[in-house]
Amino acid sequence: MKKIIAALLVLTMVLALTGSALADHLCAGDYVKFKKNAYAYSEPKSSKKIDDPYIIVSKGSHAKVIAKKGDYVFLQLTPGYYSEDLGNTYEVESGLWAWGYWFKTSDLSECKTEIILVRFSNGGNGKSKPTGDIVEDTVNVCKDHVKADAKVWMHKTPSLSNSYGRALHKGDKVKYRHLLGTDTRGVVFYGIRYKGKCLWVSCLYTHLVK
């Protein structure tokens, strides 16, 4: 029993040192990957966790470091857009707007891939807008359905805004309208038909089938 406790203490120390080392190493302009689901903070303080609802970015998401303070970094979560009306929270540079929040460095790992792409496991409603780019899918002409890989909310537009208020669940299959849209994160949405309604679902939680 003592050996187990000692091993756990060593592991805890190693993880703490790893997070600290990453915090020391990260610089503005670096890219990071979320190694687990991570809470967002309005300020670099543990007491400033955003709630009502909690904003949680999913494991595997990628983001860009804008600033750091102690064991926290401020991350850019979406590409920059020349419009403050796209639901963004801060100026990346003069006139260029994007979503951004503070996160603990212990939830992150270094990433050499220069990409910004996030998905939310909670609090994502309204966190993206449609870009207006809707095209016909001429590649997957033999795929007539969209199948859910996990719970996925349906939306009235190809974005996290304008939720339909209902979700597909893992294994559900709906009609594919052969239309593709993108949101301000750069995420593709599939156009679907659900009980006579023309709606959209994220490709991050679904795939095309015959």
Side-chain angles (χ1 to χ4, degrees), residues 76-81 88 92 97-100 116 118 127 184-185:
Q76 179 181 341
L77 301 180
T78 62
Y81 287 90
N88 302 309
V92 183
W97 293 82
W99 279 103
I116 298 174
V118 304
K127 293 295 184 297
T184 46
R185 296 172 298 160

Side-chain angles (χ1 to χ4, degrees), residues 48-175:
K48 297 297 182 179
K49 184 184 292 183
I50 297 171
D51 58 12
D52 196 28
Y54 289 110
I55 296 176
I56 304 176
V57 173
S58 297
K59 176 183 177 180
S61 296
H62 291 73
K64 183 179 181 180
V65 177
I66 299 300
K68 69 175 182 178
K69 186 173 183 180
D71 292 331
Y72 292 81
V73 286
F74 188 84
L75 298 180
Q76 179 181 341
L77 301 180
T78 62
Y81 287 90
Y82 293 102
S83 174
E84 190 178 358
D85 298 327
L86 292 175
N88 302 309
T89 56
Y90 81 103
E91 283 186 285
V92 183
E93 54 188 71
S94 182
L96 196 65
W97 293 82
W99 279 103
Y101 296 104
W102 291 93
F103 293 87
K104 290 182 176 179
T105 56
S106 58
D107 296 332
L108 310 168
S109 61
E110 293 181 88
C111 180
K112 294 182 179 180
T113 305
E114 296 185 356
I115 185 173
I116 298 174
L117 181 62
V118 304
R119 63 177 181 174
F120 298 90
S121 61
N122 196 69
N125 189 37
K127 293 295 184 297
S128 75
K129 303 290 183 181
T131 61
D133 299 326
I134 297 175
V135 298
E136 183 180 356
D137 185 357
T138 59
V139 176
N140 298 293
V141 291
C142 62
K143 303 293 180 67
D144 292 323
H145 296 88
V146 175
K147 189 173 183 179
D149 300 320
K151 182 179 180 180
V152 55
W153 292 95
M154 293 178 283
H155 300 271
K156 298 176 183 178
T157 60
S159 69
L160 295 179
S161 300
N162 304 307
S163 174
Y164 180 62
R166 293 187 180 182
L168 298 178
H169 295 83
K170 185 176 181 178
D172 287 349
K173 190 165 68 171
V174 292
K175 185 71 175 177

